[in-house]
Every structure is written in C-alpha cells, then in structure tokens.
Amino acid sequence: MDPEDLSMNPVPEKSGTIMKTRSIPSNFSDPSASGPILFTALCILCPWLVPGAVAQPSPPPYPPTRETNQIDDYHGTKIPDPYHWLEDDNSAETKAWVEAQNKGTFGYLEQIPERQAIKERLTRLWNFERYGVPFKEGGRYFLTRNDGLQNQSVLYTLDPLGATPRLLLDPNKLSADGTAALSGMAVSDDGNLIAYGVATAGSDWQEWKVRDVFRAEDLSDQIKWVKFSGASWTKDGKGFFYSRYDEPKPGQQLKGVNYFQKLYFHRLGAPQSEDPLIYERPDHKDWGFGGQVTDDGNYLIISVSQGTDTRNRVFYRDLQVPDSKVVELLNDFDAEYGFIDNDGPRFWFHTDLKAPRGRIITIDIGKPERSNWREVIPQAEETLRSANVLNDQFVVSYLKDAHSQVKVFSRDGRFIREVDLPGIGSAAGFGGKRADTETFYTFTSFTTPGTVYRYDLKSGKSSVFRKPKVDFDPAQFETRQVFYHSKDGTRIPMFITQKKGVALDGKTPTLLYGYGGFNISITPSFSVPTLVWLQMGAAYAVANLRGGGEYGEGWHQAGMKLKKQNVFDDFIGAAEWLIANKYTSTPKLAISGRSNGGLLVGACLAQRPDLFGAALPAVGVMDMLHFHRFTIGWAWTSDYGSPDDPEEFKAIYAYSPLHNLNPGREYPATLIMTADHDDRVVPAHSFKFAARLQQCQAGDRPDLIRIETRAGHGAGKPTAKQIEESSDELAFLVRELKLKIEP
C-alpha cells in the first residue's frame, strides 16, 4: 500500500519494475516505510513540559454511529455489517459523522499541552535543504530540491553539474494549498522536453502534461485518467507511451473499481482522443501494462502485471518495423522478470525464477526458448532488489539483513567491486544509461538524513554531492540490529534506535513499526518526526516481518494468503521480545503502521490488546471482507487471498481487524488516521473500524479517528500537512504513554 509512497502497498512500486519514469523524491515518509523523530530540550523551551505538570484531557464523548440490520452471507456464514452505510462517503449522513468525529478528535488533541511545542520543534527541524537524486538526459542534469518548508519539492535543471540550478517546474504554484504534487516525470532523449504527471489532493489519479525545458513552459498536450503509470519517450522525442483507465462514472472517481488498464501512445501536439491504442486485453480485466522504450530506441518493452502479484509477463514490440505486432516473450506468470537493458536482441532481466533471492539472466529474442537462456549473475546469499547497466557494467543493489549492499559486475558476470557505503542504512539511485561513467545515489539511516553522492564508475569512488544540515548530533544515538524468534521459531531481524546509554529497565517509551506485505522491504530511513521522538528519550523499533521482500520471494510467500497470520505473529513476537529484554513495557509500548501496516496494527490490536499501550493505525485495510470492492483493492487478492474463495475467506475472516473486535474488552489508546481523498485504501475502512472500536471499548482509553481533508494515501502530502499530522501523533503518544520529557 505506500509509499509514498507508492510506495510503496497495494499497487506498490515493485522491485524490478521496468518503468524508467523518474519517481519524485518527497519529504513525506513512504507509507510502506517508517519515519524517524528530533527534540532537544522541550523542557527548556516550555517549562510546563516538566514531568507532573501536565493536565490530562479526558476522552471525548463519541458521536453516535447508527447501526443497521444488514447481514451478509459468506459461504454460509452470516456476518453483520451494521456500519455499511459509512462506505458512502458522499452521503450527507457520512459527512456529518466525519465532521462530528473530527470535532471530538481535534478537541481532545488540542487539550494536550505538549502539542504546540512539538509542532514548533517539528517545524524548526523540518526546515532544512534537501535534494533528490540527480539524473542526466541529453547532456543536462535534472534534480529536485526543497528549501525546507516548501510543501512540494521543486524541479530544476543544470548544465554542467556545477552550474547554478535553473527552475524548471514549481509544483507549489499549481494549487493554493500545496496539495498538487509532481507524481512522475520522463525526459526526452535529447533533454529538450519533459512529460510530467500531477496528482491532486493525494489521489492516485494523475494528469500528464509536457513542458519545454528551455522555456520552462507547458505545451498544449494534456493526458487524463492516468493511474499507476509512468511515461516513456520514443528515441526521436515525437511522443511517449503511457497507460490509463477509462474515465470513471460521475461520483465514482475515488471509489469506483479500476479494471481494464490500456497502453497508449501520445503523439506530441495531438489531442488525447487521437492517441492510438497500443495494447489491451479485454479478456483479462485484471491485467495492467507498463511500457518502456529501450535506451537504444529499438524496442518497446511491455510489462504485464496481474494485481500486485510479483510474477509478471513480458511482451515486446519492434519499433524499427512500422506497425509491428506485439510479441509475447514471457507469457507464463511463473516468476518476476525485471527488464534491465539490452544489447541488440539480447535482453537482460533480473528474475526470481529458480532463484527466490534473485539472479540475472540474458534472453536472445531471436532464440527465446528456455534452453537458450543464460545465467549471467547467479543467486547470492543476499537478496537482489534492482540492477542497471552503467559504464558497460552491472550495478546491482542487494539487501543484506534488511540493509543495502551494492556490487559491480562485468557484463559476463565477473565480480569487480563492492560500493563502499557510509554505514548500515539504505542506498537508492544508481540510475543512468549504459555508456554513463557516473551515477548518483542517496544514502540514509535512522539518524542520517538523505545525503546525495556522486559515484565514479571508473575509479569506484564516491563523493558527496549534497549533504543536508539538520540541527542535531547523530553521535548521541545508536542503532542496533537484533534477531528474535517468532511463534513458529522463524528468526526475524529488528532495528532498535535510541539515545546512547539508556537503561534497560522497561521504562522507555517505545514505538514499534511494521509492514509485512507485498514483497516490500522496510529498510533504515530518516525522518524528522522519528528524530523528535528519539530526542524526547524514547526508542524506535522496526521489525522486518515476513510478507516483505527482505529475504526474497520465500520470505514474501511465508506471509501471504493462508500464511498471513505469520506476519501478525512476527509483530507480536517483536513486542514480546522488547518487553522481555526490558527495552520497554506494555504501558510504554506503542505500535504503528500505514496501509498494509495499518492492517497489521489493527489485527494485532484486536488479537493482543493486553500487549500494547497505544496504537497508530494509518490508512489501513480494516475490512478484509470488502477490500476488493473498491478502486484497486481487487489487485491485493494476490497477497491477501479473496473472501470470495471459501478457504481463503476463513483465513481472512480470522484476522480481519473490523470483525475481530469484541465488546467488553479493554483496548489500547488508539488514534486512527485516514484521509478523504484516499482512493488507494478508501477511508470507509477506517470509518467502520473506528465506529466498531468505540462501541467495543470497555476501558477508559480514547479511541479517536483523525480524517484529513484534501489528502490521500500519503504520496505528495504537503509539508504543512505532514507537520500537523506528526504533531498530533506525537502529542497523542506523549499523553497516552505518559512520556516524561527529558530536560
């Protein structure tokens, strides 16, 4: 599900995606990643933060939620759905319910004395210059920059690399409230034109336009109803390939089911209505298509996906031959195939076919039979996540126990060197073309802001290109990686970050984050909110659960469909380990997750309410019996299974957060987060879960829902909204975990 993510999530960006459209760095934590938190001396700044001086707000009276007698039949099992009416987010009754819930929630949060000081601290620390990873097209460079508190990062171009950046596109001018975000871009081969996508108010829907790089002005081209697609230019720069859906019916834009994606070609200057259809499959409504032109311009590679299943098909079209037919090269959905590059008719792929941790193979399309396939780089102990061909060499990114490792190989697969990274963390980038002798990457960790490096492929040396300056001392903190055993004995890794010298006495407030799904790997990352949390003397833990991609496809499959309970057992095991080893205790332990991670938090909250002091489920999939009925939710059945299947229904129903809350139980303090424009995981999931939790709660802990307006699943969220949301989450944790702020 996030993301920012597209990140990362149901319909996440998968490793090995063939789209070379540049993703836009954002200052919002990917929903499929956690963010870190920075707070030096709130007690000095605000004397009322001294322990014992805080007036405790009382939980608000919840607005009544009407219940109906609706009962659904699933394979003979009768299941009530009393809050079904909340699925209609356009009804006056639902809007009134949302308004009443927000009024109670914000009224409660506003009573927390620390909230304003936290917001001020977040704002100060967020105000630092940060850059995206540069890339080069047509001899000029492109990169994004945020001066600190800009709602959206701004796109610049520069030539040469040391020149003063020239403004190319400022998304902050596209909307008054900063909710229009640059969601993707593709530069023509000569560097003169850029196709760019804009998403508004957090929706997955994108509108694409074309801008002249020299004049920094838009042309007349306008492409609508694009979702889950990039753009790829032809070599001559006369147009680009993209994928779209049919225009939804009125009122269905944010919740209508998305089927029948189609691949088109847009010719520069022509109206979209004249765009020729390149490929569709009316016999397979659940197939999606991504088109990429090879760097030599000779082929169109078509990646065919089926929902969020990592297994894909690969077709191609010879662009050297007019009106050539689409050739079905890999047509079995038997493995993941990520196109890397080509040398004429020889195509390089990374795949998990007979190699669950990944390997690189070559296929000659003139002799496509499997007996002729050749292995170039075999499977390693580490997990292969992506590869590129630069300086006529393979640059391959791996994961080793959930942190980055990058290696360089010759074209025949001979190991050349390992890229020296600054430490244990996450490295991303390494893009470019086959003849390039330089590339760029960013490195980050829980206490290292994203630093951009230039890598010289001839010398093998890295040099700092841009390094952010944040007002904190990373030497005050330490990150350790531990391993614990889950319920069935599986060894699970977990990162723990906290101030140095903290006593293991069970009294440290701790935030535990997890995701566990869709082959998405959770690796170390930096964020201001987590830094603030750490500076308050708290600890931050990230568990690398099954269902993710940290150890390859076997790790992923161990946490999907009928084995999904393994993911919850892994997360519960992490909490139990932290308590048993006196890092924290139940009253001091909070859990957090977004999207599929929101499902994780909801399920664990329902299964083990005695284990946690607070919970922060955000944009979560909470109604596991209805998830496939909205927007792109049907695609997630590849990971979750389908409630329409009798056997899978039993497994899903057994953990569905909404259906496993029981009246009369004491649940931890919970702040549910969602947004009105979330068309990935529609807000009805959170609405229904909040209503049920408020009904079932037998204790005196608050169960609140915060519903953001003009925001979506997470990607492109303006800085101002991120600061507000983080302020509320941290204030809630300070209140509910009774956090004593360190002087």
Side-chain angles (χ1 to χ4, degrees), residues 271-292:
Q272 185 179 12
S273 59
E274 295 180 5
D275 288 352
L277 175 66
I278 302 302
Y279 197 76
E280 67 172 335
R281 287 300 290 264
D283 57 330
H284 290 287
K285 66 179 182 179
D286 57 345
W287 284 18
F289 308 102
Q292 175 195 351

Side-chain angles (χ1 to χ4, degrees), residues 474-653:
Q476 294 182 357
F477 307 94
E478 62 182 356
T479 296
R480 67 188 67 178
Q481 187 177 39
V482 302
F483 294 85
Y484 66 93
H485 291 93
S486 188
K487 183 178 180 179
D488 64 357
T490 300
R491 187 171 180 258
I492 311 292
M494 177 166 56
F495 294 103
I496 305 172
T497 305
Q498 60 186 23
K499 278 188 174 181
K500 291 180 179 177
V502 174
L504 298 181
D505 57 7
K507 298 179 181 179
T508 303
T510 299
L511 180 60
L512 171 62
Y513 175 89
Y515 188 78
F518 297 93
N519 199 33
I520 291 175
S521 302
I522 305 302
T523 61
S525 63
F526 177 87
S527 82
V528 172
T530 303
L531 186 54
V532 173
W533 177 249
L534 293 171
Q535 287 202 332
M536 287 193 285
Y540 182 65
V542 175
N544 297 105
L545 316 172
R546 282 176 285 183
E550 289 86 348
Y551 292 106
E553 184 57 20
W555 193 255
H556 173 213
Q557 292 183 12
M560 42 186 290
K561 292 194 174 183
L562 301 182
K563 298 179 181 178
K564 186 69 176 177
Q565 182 59 42
N566 284 338
V567 182
F568 312 134
D569 290 341
D570 292 354
F571 201 53
I572 290 169
E576 292 175 333
W577 189 94
L578 289 167
I579 293 171
N581 287 273
K582 299 189 180 301
Y583 279 86
T584 191
S585 57
T586 289
K588 298 290 186 179
L589 177 60
I591 51 175
S592 172
R594 300 184 63 87
S595 198
N596 175 72
L599 159 64
L600 169 73
V601 171
C604 291
L605 177 157
Q607 292 181 20
R608 288 295 306 276
D610 59 303
L611 194 56
F612 315 109
L616 299 175
V619 292
V621 188
M622 301 303 198
D623 184 349
M624 293 302 298
L625 302 185
H626 280 196
F627 74 87
H628 59 318
R629 301 183 182 184
F630 302 105
T631 61
I632 201 66
W634 60 265
W636 313 335
T637 58
S638 62
D639 230 67
Y640 295 147
S642 172
D644 296 334
D645 178 280
E647 185 178 8
E648 292 175 345
F649 158 74
K650 292 178 182 178
I652 291 170
Y653 184 44

Side-chain angles (χ1 to χ4, degrees), residues 140-143 155-159 164-168 191 213:
R140 60 176 57 89
Y141 296 87
F142 300 82
L143 81 167
L155 178 63
Y156 294 89
T157 183
L158 59 162
D159 181 22
T164 300
R166 177 171 63 86
L167 176 65
L168 181 55
V213 172

Side-chain angles (χ1 to χ4, degrees), residues 52 92 123 135 145 211 247 273 303 364 490 649 654 656 672 674 720:
T123 303
F135 65 94
R145 171 184 174 272
R211 176 159 290 211
E247 181 177 352
S273 59
S303 178
D364 188 331
T490 300
F649 158 74
S656 175
I672 302 163
T674 189

Side-chain angles (χ1 to χ4, degrees), residues 240-495:
F240 55 84
F241 297 92
Y242 70 96
S243 300
R244 60 161 290 186
Y245 292 92
D246 293 335
E247 181 177 352
K249 296 179 181 179
Q252 294 297 305
Q253 291 91 335
L254 297 180
K255 62 182 180 182
V257 178
N258 302 136
Y259 281 125
F260 298 110
Q261 192 180 42
K262 303 178 181 67
L263 179 63
Y264 286 89
F265 177 72
H266 175 69
R267 185 168 297 279
L268 204 61
Q272 185 179 12
S273 59
E274 295 180 5
D275 288 352
L277 175 66
I278 302 302
Y279 197 76
E280 67 172 335
R281 287 300 290 264
D283 57 330
H284 290 287
K285 66 179 182 179
D286 57 345
W287 284 18
F289 308 102
Q292 175 195 351
V293 178
T294 56
D295 285 344
D296 61 13
N298 292 338
Y299 300 96
L300 171 67
I301 308 298
I302 303 173
S303 178
V304 184
S305 60
Q306 190 171 30
T308 52
D309 196 332
T310 55
R311 296 171 297 181
N312 64 306
R313 303 184 182 207
V314 178
F315 304 159
Y316 72 90
R317 180 176 171 181
D318 190 340
L319 298 179
Q320 305 166 91
V321 180
D323 301 320
S324 61
K325 301 295 184 182
V326 171
V327 178
E328 298 179 350
L329 178 64
L330 303 170
N331 201 21
D332 292 323
F333 277 137
D334 60 339
E336 177 185 7
Y337 299 94
F339 178 78
I340 301 172
D341 205 341
N342 70 298
D343 183 11
R346 291 196 303 154
F347 289 6
W348 290 301
F349 294 91
H350 73 75
T351 181
D352 57 14
L353 180 71
K354 298 180 181 179
R357 294 186 303 279
R359 61 180 177 142
I360 293 177
I361 63 172
T362 182
I363 299 175
D364 188 331
I365 61 174
K367 300 179 291 182
E369 297 79 12
R370 294 193 178 217
S371 58
N372 296 320
W373 294 8
R374 186 171 65 86
E375 181 175 84
V376 181
I377 300 176
Q379 177 175 246
E381 289 298 317
E382 302 81 19
T383 303
L384 192 159
R385 299 304 294 171
S386 64
N388 210 337
V389 178
L390 305 165
N391 192 38
D392 216 25
Q393 300 168 328
F394 288 103
V395 179
V396 187
S397 295
Y398 291 92
L399 281 183
K400 180 179 177 62
D401 290 331
H403 58 84
S404 291
Q405 186 180 69
V406 182
K407 299 179 182 180
V408 180
F409 298 85
S410 66
R411 276 182 52 184
D412 60 5
R414 176 176 51 85
F415 174 75
I416 296 176
R417 72 174 75 93
E418 185 173 333
V419 177
D420 291 328
L421 299 177
I424 294 178
S426 303
F430 298 99
K433 297 186 177 181
R434 187 168 156 188
D436 290 347
T437 58
E438 68 172 355
T439 187
F440 297 85
Y441 68 93
T442 183
F443 180 84
T444 184
S445 71
F446 294 112
T447 55
T448 304
T451 300
V452 180
Y453 292 85
R454 178 185 178 274
Y455 184 67
D456 187 317
L457 286 144
K458 290 186 175 180
S459 67
K461 302 296 184 181
S462 294
S463 57
V464 174
F465 175 70
R466 292 289 187 273
K467 184 175 183 178
K469 297 179 181 178
V470 185
D471 185 20
F472 84 107
D473 180 10
Q476 294 182 357
F477 307 94
E478 62 182 356
T479 296
R480 67 188 67 178
Q481 187 177 39
V482 302
F483 294 85
Y484 66 93
H485 291 93
S486 188
K487 183 178 180 179
D488 64 357
T490 300
R491 187 171 180 258
I492 311 292
M494 177 166 56
F495 294 103

